């Protein structure tokens, strides 16, 4: 995908496997060193891409510890000691944007691409003082790209 490749070339994102086009973008936070460490995981065994994992049970065949069942119907037995990594958590849930500074309430939310930077910026604005109106002018909530025809355009706007 040209957008993912362009963002990666610009250093805005890092893919664990540059050969795989992302189907979702959840704004995970990882340093380059952490991404490099994740890339080494494949050196210890295969990476399975059979759709979402539906279940892990102890109904494995003899000699195996865990039976993994995937959404496409595939089933694989795994020995004891295999690590399963859940990459499905939504680190950026969509919530309706609201005013950040409202009297004695502060509604922490994304005002930029990364949530951690947004929280730091909101804390800075509160600490430096000023009216809610002044602080809210500098803390406009940012919507994440959705799905569908405009998702790619919306994602590109966050970075460029």
């Amino acid at each position: 995908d040209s957008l993912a490749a362009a963002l990666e070339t610009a250093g805005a994102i890092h893919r664990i496997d540059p050969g795989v086009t992302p189907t979702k973008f959840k704004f995970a936070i990882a340093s380059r060193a952490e991404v490099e460490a994740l890339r080494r995981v494949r050196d210890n065994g295969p990476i399975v891409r059979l759709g979402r994992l539906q279940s892990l049970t102890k109904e494995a065949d003899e000699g195996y510890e865990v039976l993994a069942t995937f959404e496409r119907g595939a089933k694989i037995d795994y020995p004891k000691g295999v690590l399963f990594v859940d990459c499905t958590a939504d680190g950026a849930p969509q919530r309706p944007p609201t005013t950040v500074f409202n009297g004695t309430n502060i509604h922490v939310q994304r005002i930029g691409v990364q949530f951690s930077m947004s929280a730091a910026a909101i804390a800075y604005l509160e600490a430096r003082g000023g009216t809610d109106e002044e602080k809210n002018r500098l803390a406009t909530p940012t919507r994440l790209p959705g799905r569908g025809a405009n998702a790619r355009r919306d994602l590109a706007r966050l970075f460029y």
Side-chain angles (χ1 to χ4, degrees):
D1 174 73
S2 60
L3 177 58
L7 291 172
E8 191 167 34
T9 300
I13 68 169
H14 309 288
R15 291 184 283 172
I16 296 170
D17 186 344
V20 175
T21 301
T23 58
K24 297 195 183 312
F25 192 75
K26 296 194 176 196
F27 291 91
I29 299 174
S31 69
R32 287 179 194 239
E34 290 168 325
V35 171
E36 288 301 321
L38 288 169
R39 287 178 177 157
R40 288 193 300 272
V41 167
R42 73 174 61 102
D43 295 340
N44 296 318
I47 294 176
V48 177
R49 290 191 170 100
L50 295 172
R52 293 187 178 186
L53 183 65
Q54 296 297 301
S55 66
L56 293 172
T57 63
K58 290 194 172 240
E59 299 170 10
D61 290 338
E62 188 166 329
Y64 291 93
E65 182 84 7
V66 176
L67 174 66
T69 303
F70 297 87
E71 69 181 343
R72 296 180 192 150
K75 295 183 179 196
I76 301 175
D77 288 315
Y78 288 97
K80 184 177 182 178
V82 170
L83 173 67
F84 293 89
V85 179
D86 181 0
C87 298
T88 62
D90 192 350
Q94 292 280 15
R95 293 189 179 102
T98 187
T99 304
V100 175
F101 298 95
N102 185 6
T104 60
N105 295 318
I106 300 173
H107 302 279
V108 179
Q109 58 196 300
R110 183 173 280 104
I111 60 170
V113 175
Q114 291 291 353
F115 189 80
S116 56
M117 287 296 291
S118 297
I122 290 168
Y124 169 78
L125 290 171
E126 176 62 14
R128 80 174 183 110
T131 67
D132 283 358
E133 183 179 271
E134 292 168 335
K135 292 184 283 189
N136 282 323
R137 193 169 40 252
L138 297 170
T140 304
T142 303
R143 297 280 303 161
L144 292 177
R147 294 184 176 179
N150 296 327
R152 297 168 70 119
R153 180 203 64 210
D154 295 343
L155 179 60
R157 284 181 180 166
L158 288 174
F159 286 101
Y160 295 107

